[in-house]
């Protein structure tokens, strides 16, 4: 599953990245990542290249969890997200924790009406949510890479599905977003793919976003955001790459992490 997830995600990310640079692309034309409520990363192409490839759709579920193992309480949800979300060492050699290293307990990330990210308390229907922030320091002539790994356990499939829908729609509303006071994400474009469409066979639903990240006084850097749902659990990763890191490196880093986190969800929820 790991290698397949990486390959499929990589091709779709390329489509999203290409589309994000098109004049008049759908997100920018809306005048408006997921809601990143799971936490809270280029080249020129033709419109045809940015369009999703055609393909059939299968109504079969990507994964059938054991009903007895699906989180029903806040404690169960917290145990699950703690075990699923990548820590710095999971990303690979050289990665260290950012400051802060984790999100504030009992909160989740929400995009407000002004396209700024904030972390209010968990609403009803959300059992637990956790984000961990890591980075690969600059070195060897390359800039730093910042990554986020997130997971949210919800009380219903409907709630988790609505989260993915919100994630997809928020790029239309906010193609430029403000994660923190001195940071911006611009030129966002997104692609949603349910299970069975375009060879997506690893999650019930998925959303990919691509754009540019601009920090205080810095140059624009590639930004990727990948979100996937299995039942009532939503996982996500973001990747922001510094100078000298190729698009292929960032895609591989993000898609491998997402695939491994999905494997962890399956292992937690599958029956004997």
């Amino acid at each position: 599953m790991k290698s397949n997830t990486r390959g499929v995600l990589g091709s779709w990310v390329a489509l999203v990245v290409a589309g994000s640079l098109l004049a008049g692309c759908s997100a920018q034309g809306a005048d408006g990542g997921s809601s990143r409520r799971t936490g809270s990363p280029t080249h020129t192409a033709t419109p045809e290249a940015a369009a999703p490839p055609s393909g059939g759709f299968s109504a079969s579920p990507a994964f059938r969890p054991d009903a007895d193992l699906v989180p029903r309480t806040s404690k169960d949800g917290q145990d699950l997200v703690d075990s699923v979300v990548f820590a710095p060492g999971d990303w690979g050699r050289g990665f260290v924790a950012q400051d802060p290293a984790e999100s504030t307990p009992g909160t989740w990330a929400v995009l407000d009406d002004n396209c700024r990210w904030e972390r209010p308390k968990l609403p009803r229907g959300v059992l637990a949510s956790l984000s961990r922030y890591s980075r690969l320091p600059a070195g060897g002539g390359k800039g730093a890479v910042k990554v986020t790994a997130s997971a949210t356990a919800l009380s219903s499939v409907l709630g988790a599905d609505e989260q993915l829908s919100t994630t997809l729609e928020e790029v239309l509303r906010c193609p430029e977003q403000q994660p923190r006071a001195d940071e911006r994400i611009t030129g966002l474009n997104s692609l949603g793919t349910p299970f069975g469409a375009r060879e997506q066979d690893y999650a019930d639903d998925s959303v990919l976003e691509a754009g540019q990240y601009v920090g205080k006084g810095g140059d624009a850097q590639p930004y990727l955001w990948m979100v996937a749902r299995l039942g009532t659990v939503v996982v996500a990763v973001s990747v922001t790459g510094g100078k000298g890191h190729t698009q292929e490196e960032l895609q591989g880093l993000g898609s491998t992490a997402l695939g491994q986190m999905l494997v962890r969800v399956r292992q937690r929820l599958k029956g004997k």
Side-chain angles (χ1 to χ4, degrees), residues 4-5 7-13 15-16 48-58 168 190-203 205-208:
N4 181 62
T5 302
V8 175
L9 276 171
S11 63
W12 297 350
V13 170
L15 293 174
V16 178
E48 289 77 10
S54 61
F57 173 77
S58 171
L168 190 61
S190 63
L191 175 67
T193 308
F195 178 79
R198 293 184 288 271
E199 300 181 6
Q200 198 277 80
D201 62 357
Y202 57 86
D205 204 354
S206 67
V207 174
L208 305 179

Side-chain angles (χ1 to χ4, degrees), residues 51-231:
S54 61
F57 173 77
S58 171
S60 301
F63 173 64
R64 292 186 182 276
D66 185 326
D68 293 334
L69 300 178
V70 174
R72 303 297 181 192
T73 66
S74 295
K75 182 182 183 305
D76 291 342
Q78 192 63 52
D79 288 344
L80 185 144
V81 298
D82 281 341
S83 67
V84 166
V85 176
F86 263 30
D90 295 319
W91 287 95
R93 180 178 299 178
F95 278 87
V96 298
Q98 294 191 50
D99 184 17
E102 291 188 355
S103 56
T104 303
T107 68
W108 72 338
V110 175
L111 191 64
D112 69 16
D113 292 340
N114 295 314
C115 299
R116 295 178 299 198
W117 288 102
E118 58 182 6
R119 294 199 68 93
K121 292 182 179 180
L122 296 176
R124 184 173 183 176
V126 179
L127 302 178
S129 187
L130 173 66
S131 294
R132 291 186 175 130
Y133 314 109
S134 307
R135 66 185 177 91
L136 180 65
K142 294 185 177 183
V145 174
K146 294 182 178 180
V147 294
T148 299
S150 309
T152 299
L154 296 99
S155 60
S156 70
V157 171
L158 178 60
D161 184 60
E162 288 178 346
Q163 185 181 349
L164 268 288
S165 298
T166 300
T167 296
L168 190 61
E169 294 166 357
E170 283 185 338
V171 170
L172 301 178
R173 178 171 69 87
C174 295
E176 180 169 325
Q177 301 171 5
Q178 186 175 355
R180 297 179 180 85
D182 57 353
E183 299 176 340
R184 289 183 300 119
I185 300 172
T186 66
L188 281 169
N189 200 8
S190 63
L191 175 67
T193 308
F195 178 79
R198 293 184 288 271
E199 300 181 6
Q200 198 277 80
D201 62 357
Y202 57 86
D204 292 309
D205 204 354
S206 67
V207 174
L208 305 179
E209 294 181 12
Q212 297 286 314
Y213 166 89
V214 182
K216 184 178 181 180
D219 297 328
Q221 302 172 1
Y223 173 86
L224 301 175
W225 177 254
M226 307 176 181
V227 189
R229 176 180 69 83
L230 280 177

